[in-house]
PDB file of all heavy atoms in Angstrom:
ATOM      1  N   ASN I 619      -0.590   6.437  25.461  1.00  0.00           N
ATOM      2  CA  ASN I 619      -0.216   7.656  26.176  1.00  0.00           C
ATOM      3  C   ASN I 619       1.272   7.666  26.503  1.00  0.00           C
ATOM      4  O   ASN I 619       1.939   8.703  26.394  1.00  0.00           O
ATOM      5  CB  ASN I 619      -1.042   7.801  27.456  1.00  0.00           C
ATOM      6  CG  ASN I 619      -2.505   8.102  27.179  1.00  0.00           C
ATOM      7  OD1 ASN I 619      -2.845   8.632  26.128  1.00  0.00           O
ATOM      8  ND2 ASN I 619      -3.379   7.751  28.113  1.00  0.00           N
ATOM      9  N   TRP I 620       1.787   6.509  26.906  1.00  0.00           N
ATOM     10  CA  TRP I 620       3.214   6.405  27.219  1.00  0.00           C
ATOM     11  C   TRP I 620       4.059   6.622  25.968  1.00  0.00           C
ATOM     12  O   TRP I 620       5.062   7.339  25.991  1.00  0.00           O
ATOM     13  CB  TRP I 620       3.512   5.044  27.839  1.00  0.00           C
ATOM     14  CG  TRP I 620       4.948   4.840  28.223  1.00  0.00           C
ATOM     15  CD1 TRP I 620       5.572   5.274  29.353  1.00  0.00           C
ATOM     16  CD2 TRP I 620       5.935   4.146  27.454  1.00  0.00           C
ATOM     17  NE1 TRP I 620       6.891   4.891  29.352  1.00  0.00           N
ATOM     18  CE2 TRP I 620       7.148   4.201  28.197  1.00  0.00           C
ATOM     19  CE3 TRP I 620       5.925   3.484  26.229  1.00  0.00           C
ATOM     20  CZ2 TRP I 620       8.330   3.612  27.739  1.00  0.00           C
ATOM     21  CZ3 TRP I 620       7.101   2.902  25.769  1.00  0.00           C
ATOM     22  CH2 TRP I 620       8.283   2.969  26.516  1.00  0.00           C
ATOM     23  N   LEU I 621       3.636   6.011  24.853  1.00  0.00           N
ATOM     24  CA  LEU I 621       4.350   6.216  23.593  1.00  0.00           C
ATOM     25  C   LEU I 621       4.324   7.685  23.186  1.00  0.00           C
ATOM     26  O   LEU I 621       5.337   8.247  22.769  1.00  0.00           O
ATOM     27  CB  LEU I 621       3.721   5.359  22.490  1.00  0.00           C
ATOM     28  CG  LEU I 621       4.062   3.881  22.467  1.00  0.00           C
ATOM     29  CD1 LEU I 621       3.218   3.173  21.401  1.00  0.00           C
ATOM     30  CD2 LEU I 621       5.548   3.657  22.190  1.00  0.00           C
ATOM     31  N   ALA I 622       3.167   8.301  23.296  1.00  0.00           N
ATOM     32  CA  ALA I 622       3.030   9.708  22.909  1.00  0.00           C
ATOM     33  C   ALA I 622       3.980  10.584  23.712  1.00  0.00           C
ATOM     34  O   ALA I 622       4.629  11.490  23.169  1.00  0.00           O
ATOM     35  CB  ALA I 622       1.586  10.171  23.099  1.00  0.00           C
ATOM     36  N   GLN I 623       4.083  10.330  24.999  1.00  0.00           N
ATOM     37  CA  GLN I 623       4.963  11.115  25.852  1.00  0.00           C
ATOM     38  C   GLN I 623       6.428  10.920  25.461  1.00  0.00           C
ATOM     39  O   GLN I 623       7.188  11.883  25.360  1.00  0.00           O
ATOM     40  CB  GLN I 623       4.760  10.726  27.314  1.00  0.00           C
ATOM     41  CG  GLN I 623       5.618  11.520  28.292  1.00  0.00           C
ATOM     42  CD  GLN I 623       5.364  11.123  29.729  1.00  0.00           C
ATOM     43  OE1 GLN I 623       4.703  10.137  30.008  1.00  0.00           O
ATOM     44  NE2 GLN I 623       5.890  11.906  30.662  1.00  0.00           N
ATOM     45  N   ASN I 624       6.824   9.675  25.215  1.00  0.00           N
ATOM     46  CA  ASN I 624       8.215   9.399  24.853  1.00  0.00           C
ATOM     47  C   ASN I 624       8.567   9.955  23.483  1.00  0.00           C
ATOM     48  O   ASN I 624       9.667  10.478  23.283  1.00  0.00           O
ATOM     49  CB  ASN I 624       8.482   7.889  24.899  1.00  0.00           C
ATOM     50  CG  ASN I 624       8.803   7.396  26.279  1.00  0.00           C
ATOM     51  OD1 ASN I 624       9.958   7.314  26.677  1.00  0.00           O
ATOM     52  ND2 ASN I 624       7.768   7.079  27.047  1.00  0.00           N
ATOM     53  N   LEU I 625       7.643   9.860  22.540  1.00  0.00           N
ATOM     54  CA  LEU I 625       7.925  10.361  21.194  1.00  0.00           C
ATOM     55  C   LEU I 625       7.955  11.884  21.174  1.00  0.00           C
ATOM     56  O   LEU I 625       8.737  12.485  20.434  1.00  0.00           O
ATOM     57  CB  LEU I 625       6.877   9.835  20.216  1.00  0.00           C
ATOM     58  CG  LEU I 625       6.904   8.322  19.984  1.00  0.00           C
ATOM     59  CD1 LEU I 625       5.750   7.893  19.082  1.00  0.00           C
ATOM     60  CD2 LEU I 625       8.232   7.868  19.390  1.00  0.00           C
ATOM     61  N   ALA I 626       7.138  12.505  21.995  1.00  0.00           N
ATOM     62  CA  ALA I 626       7.103  13.964  22.025  1.00  0.00           C
ATOM     63  C   ALA I 626       8.365  14.548  22.630  1.00  0.00           C
ATOM     64  O   ALA I 626       8.790  15.649  22.269  1.00  0.00           O
ATOM     65  CB  ALA I 626       5.885  14.433  22.816  1.00  0.00           C
ATOM     66  N   ASN I 627       8.989  13.795  23.542  1.00  0.00           N
ATOM     67  CA  ASN I 627      10.133  14.329  24.280  1.00  0.00           C
ATOM     68  C   ASN I 627      11.479  13.907  23.708  1.00  0.00           C
ATOM     69  O   ASN I 627      12.516  14.222  24.289  1.00  0.00           O
ATOM     70  CB  ASN I 627      10.056  13.877  25.749  1.00  0.00           C
ATOM     71  CG  ASN I 627       8.863  14.470  26.466  1.00  0.00           C
ATOM     72  OD1 ASN I 627       8.377  15.524  26.087  1.00  0.00           O
ATOM     73  ND2 ASN I 627       8.386  13.800  27.496  1.00  0.00           N
ATOM     74  N   SER I 628      11.481  13.188  22.583  1.00  0.00           N
ATOM     75  CA  SER I 628      12.735  12.658  22.074  1.00  0.00           C
ATOM     76  C   SER I 628      12.962  13.078  20.618  1.00  0.00           C
ATOM     77  O   SER I 628      12.031  13.081  19.807  1.00  0.00           O
ATOM     78  CB  SER I 628      12.741  11.124  22.159  1.00  0.00           C
ATOM     79  OG  SER I 628      13.916  10.601  21.570  1.00  0.00           O
ATOM     80  N   HIS I 629      14.205  13.408  20.319  1.00  0.00           N
ATOM     81  CA  HIS I 629      14.607  13.684  18.942  1.00  0.00           C
ATOM     82  C   HIS I 629      15.501  12.559  18.407  1.00  0.00           C
ATOM     83  O   HIS I 629      16.101  12.691  17.346  1.00  0.00           O
ATOM     84  CB  HIS I 629      15.341  15.025  18.867  1.00  0.00           C
ATOM     85  CG  HIS I 629      14.515  16.184  19.327  1.00  0.00           C
ATOM     86  ND1 HIS I 629      13.438  16.661  18.607  1.00  0.00           N
ATOM     87  CD2 HIS I 629      14.578  16.951  20.442  1.00  0.00           C
ATOM     88  CE1 HIS I 629      12.886  17.673  19.259  1.00  0.00           C
ATOM     89  NE2 HIS I 629      13.566  17.867  20.376  1.00  0.00           N
ATOM     90  N   HIS I 630      15.569  11.470  19.144  1.00  0.00           N
ATOM     91  CA  HIS I 630      16.411  10.339  18.756  1.00  0.00           C
ATOM     92  C   HIS I 630      15.626   9.368  17.872  1.00  0.00           C
ATOM     93  O   HIS I 630      14.402   9.278  17.974  1.00  0.00           O
ATOM     94  CB  HIS I 630      16.906   9.606  20.003  1.00  0.00           C
ATOM     95  CG  HIS I 630      17.729  10.453  20.917  1.00  0.00           C
ATOM     96  ND1 HIS I 630      19.061  10.685  20.709  1.00  0.00           N
ATOM     97  CD2 HIS I 630      17.398  11.139  22.043  1.00  0.00           C
ATOM     98  CE1 HIS I 630      19.536  11.461  21.660  1.00  0.00           C
ATOM     99  NE2 HIS I 630      18.546  11.758  22.484  1.00  0.00           N
TER     100      HIS I 630
END
Side-chain angles (χ1 to χ4, degrees):
N619 291 336
W620 181 81
L621 282 174
Q623 181 179 11
N624 276 267
L625 293 175
N627 294 334
S628 175
H629 300 290
H630 299 278

